[in-house]
Amino acid sequence: MADDRTNRGPQDRSRINLGEDYEVRYWTDKFGISKSQLEEAVRKAGSSAAAVEEELRRQTLSGDR
């Protein structure tokens, strides 16, 4: 079944899908970061939204961001 493009949020809010523009927009808005920062966090932490959020928190605390 194809994604419902009228749905602005991700289908599975526990995972980040970088292959869908609307999901990238959702997550960059949610975390207040750029697309490249999101891609880097996903590369480091995997596609789990919780793991990415923790990675971003870690970066903020250590000043990497």
Side-chain angles (χ1 to χ4, degrees), residues 10 16-17 19 21 28 38 43 46 49 58:
I16 297 175
N17 180 355
D21 289 339
T28 56
L38 179 64
R43 186 186 66 75
R58 186 197 62 73

Side-chain angles (χ1 to χ4, degrees), residues 36-50:
S36 62
Q37 288 171 310
L38 179 64
E39 291 169 340
E40 179 68 14
V42 169
R43 186 186 66 75
K44 287 182 177 179
S47 63
S48 163

Side-chain angles (χ1 to χ4, degrees), residues 6-57:
T6 62
N7 185 352
R8 300 279 178 174
Q11 294 294 319
D12 179 357
R13 292 198 195 308
S14 69
R15 298 275 174 214
I16 297 175
N17 180 355
L18 295 176
E20 296 289 348
D21 289 339
Y22 69 96
E23 286 200 27
V24 171
R25 280 191 304 275
Y26 172 84
W27 291 111
T28 56
D29 289 347
K30 178 177 174 52
F31 294 135
I33 60 174
S34 69
K35 181 180 178 182
S36 62
Q37 288 171 310
L38 179 64
E39 291 169 340
E40 179 68 14
V42 169
R43 186 186 66 75
K44 287 182 177 179
S47 63
S48 163
V52 168
E53 187 170 21
E54 182 58 33
E55 172 62 22
L56 293 170
R57 185 176 296 119

